[in-house]
Amino acid sequence: MSPSWRSAVVAALGGMMAAAYLHSQGTVDLGFGFPRGSLIEGLLMAVTGALGGLALLLAFRLLRALVERLKT
């Protein structure tokens, strides 16, 4: 697996774990109004976490490219 794909997978998994932890602690409500413990609640929580992790990875990649561009 190429390093860019590997980091994307790790970011998505990390985002899903962070979303699940924050939801279980009651910090963030990611249930979107669905019954607690339902399949759709878990699915939406996983998708939200994965997209959040990928967005964070993209932001860091863009920031790193900007810093490298400013150095030259």
Side-chain angles (χ1 to χ4, degrees):
M1 183 181 292
S2 71
S4 62
W5 276 102
R6 186 174 49 233
S7 62
V9 169
V10 169
L13 290 174
M16 284 190 270
M17 288 190 295
Y21 176 75
L22 291 173
H23 182 72
S24 69
Q25 295 298 314
T27 306
V28 179
D29 182 21
L30 295 173
F32 298 103
F34 291 101
R36 188 162 181 81
S38 66
L39 180 64
I40 190 71
E41 180 195 26
L43 177 70
L44 287 174
M45 188 171 30
V47 168
T48 304
L51 291 176
L54 290 172
L56 192 61
L57 176 66
L58 179 63
F60 278 119
R61 283 182 178 174
L62 290 174
L63 185 63
R64 183 180 62 190
L66 179 64
V67 168
E68 288 176 3
R69 191 173 186 187
L70 290 175
K71 281 183 181 180
T72 59

